[in-house]
Amino acid sequence: MEKLIQELQARLGEDGLKLQEPMKEHTTFRVGGPADLFLMPKDAEELKDTIGILRKYNMPVMVIGNGSNLLVRDKGIRGAVIQIYSRMADIAVDGEIIEARGGALLSAVAAKAADAGLTGMEFASGIPGSIGGAVVMNAGAYGGEMKDVLVSVDVLTKDLEVKTIPVGELELGYRHSVVPEAGYIVLGARMKLEKGEEAAIRGRMAELAEQRREKQPLQYPSAGSTFKRPSGYFAGKLVQDAGLKGKTIGGAQVSEKHSGFLINIGGATAQDILDLIAFCQKEVKDQFGVTLETEVKIVGEK
């Protein structure tokens, strides 16, 4: 392990490597045990070299963005976590095209679009994910989704080659893309927007922000909607109709504001949240015969 760490430090520098890093510092749930190695490359070349080094030592690798759709178990993550976030977050505008690197936040991209008088990204202004994560799960809200604006995506393949994938080959659907099954890592994306009136764009963003404040428990740590939308139903309504609004296990609670959100009301462990997820799934299944699947990704050592 010592030799591996030395090689990683030589490639990434002191700022690009942390040991036994608490994952609660890198997830919006604010829970999770330590990652053995936490790596933060600043460009595609560093990323390629980092993965090459890790493979040489047979070290397991997990790639994350800003952890907005992630629940890390309390024992943490064995192996290496590579974060594509603030060190790979540049955004550029060229006419009606916005190009953003994988670590750029959706909110920052939406703000940049508004600055340029471009419409089409308003739906994303309040989503707390990164571009990479948004592509992976075809993030969407309020009638918009990534597939509506994406033109192409730059990825790093399993063979460590940089490749540009047109949107038509990404197989984008509800919370789905081909990215995970193909083993791609999103390096960046190109989005095609339309010219609009800046005042109207900012007005729409403000309107959506107000709707979020009214309906979502934004003051508490969470990972957004905990469950996927079952066909023909709304997950939050099922949880509410099962009588679970406000249900608490440890520091985890079904939000009293929106039953589709499980929140950390203070001092929650990942196990509290996992237990509450399981409880909601069982009650909804028993009462309505509907299986709730988690939208949040659950990772880490059991």
Side-chain angles (χ1 to χ4, degrees):
M1 177 70 91
E2 189 175 332
K3 197 170 179 187
L4 166 61
I5 292 169
Q6 288 174 353
E7 286 194 42
L8 290 169
Q9 283 177 333
R11 185 64 185 95
L12 295 169
E14 294 292 335
D15 293 341
L17 168 65
K18 295 182 179 181
L19 305 178
Q20 294 300 311
E21 176 69 3
M23 289 303 296
K24 67 181 180 181
E25 302 296 330
H26 304 284
T27 66
T28 54
F29 253 137
R30 295 291 177 252
V31 300
D36 292 339
L37 299 168
F38 191 82
L39 312 168
M40 297 163 285
K42 65 177 184 293
D43 56 37
E45 287 305 313
E46 278 197 359
L47 175 61
K48 286 166 63 174
D49 291 348
T50 297
I51 293 174
I53 293 167
L54 293 168
R55 284 181 179 176
K56 186 168 74 171
Y57 289 89
N58 297 313
M59 183 65 62
V61 180
M62 179 184 302
V63 179
I64 69 167
N66 75 325
S68 61
N69 196 45
L70 202 62
L71 175 56
V72 180
R73 295 185 178 93
D74 296 310
K75 289 183 180 179
I77 298 173
R78 304 289 68 79
V81 173
I82 297 176
Q83 186 189 48
I84 297 177
Y85 186 36
S86 57
R87 299 185 93 202
M88 295 179 65
D90 299 337
I91 306 166
V93 179
D94 183 5
E96 296 180 354
I97 299 291
I98 287 194
E99 188 162 352
R101 295 174 82 194
L105 288 176
L106 283 173
S107 55
V109 176
K112 194 86 166 182
D115 291 343
L118 295 175
T119 182
M121 283 296 290
E122 292 90 331
F123 76 90
S125 59
I127 299 175
S130 64
I131 282 290
V135 170
V136 168
M137 65 181 296
N138 185 32
Y142 297 105
E145 52 189 345
M146 290 303 293
K147 73 175 184 180
D148 299 333
V149 295
L150 277 173
V151 175
S152 63
V153 175
D154 294 333
V155 301
L156 188 66
T157 70
K158 288 188 286 188
D159 296 325
L160 302 185
E161 296 175 349
V162 176
K163 185 177 179 182
T164 299
I165 312 289
V167 64
E169 295 179 14
L170 290 171
E171 299 179 19
L172 297 175
Y174 175 65
R175 302 298 179 262
H176 174 267
S177 76
V178 75
V179 173
E181 54 213 59
Y184 295 150
I185 298 172
V186 177
L187 300 174
R190 266 161 236 88
M191 291 142 284
K192 173 76 162 61
L193 305 180
E194 296 178 4
K195 281 291 182 185
E197 292 293 329
E198 184 177 346
I201 294 165
R202 294 195 185 280
R204 177 60 175 159
M205 288 167 67
E207 181 186 321
L208 294 180
E210 180 59 29
Q211 287 185 43
R212 282 188 168 90
R213 281 192 293 272
E214 286 179 3
K215 298 177 181 178
Q216 298 178 11
L218 301 181
Q219 69 272 40
Y220 293 102
S222 79
S225 298
T226 306
F227 302 104
K228 293 180 180 178
R229 186 177 66 236
S231 180
Y233 300 91
F234 291 100
K237 187 173 189 308
L238 286 168
V239 173
Q240 180 173 318
D241 290 350
L244 301 178
K245 178 180 280 192
K247 170 67 180 176
T248 302
I249 295 179
Q253 183 185 79
V254 175
S255 169
E256 295 180 339
K257 196 177 221 183
H258 189 318
S259 297
F261 284 61
L262 270 55
I263 58 176
N264 179 353
I265 56 174
T269 63
Q271 193 59 52
D272 291 340
I273 298 168
L274 288 166
D275 289 346
L276 188 55
I277 287 172
F279 188 87
C280 291
Q281 288 172 321
K282 182 179 187 305
E283 288 297 309
V284 168
K285 181 70 171 177
D286 288 350
Q287 294 187 41
F288 306 112
V290 178
T291 300
L292 289 179
E293 295 180 25
T294 55
E295 183 169 310
V296 63
K297 185 179 178 183
I298 301 165
V299 300
E301 183 181 358
K302 291 183 179 180

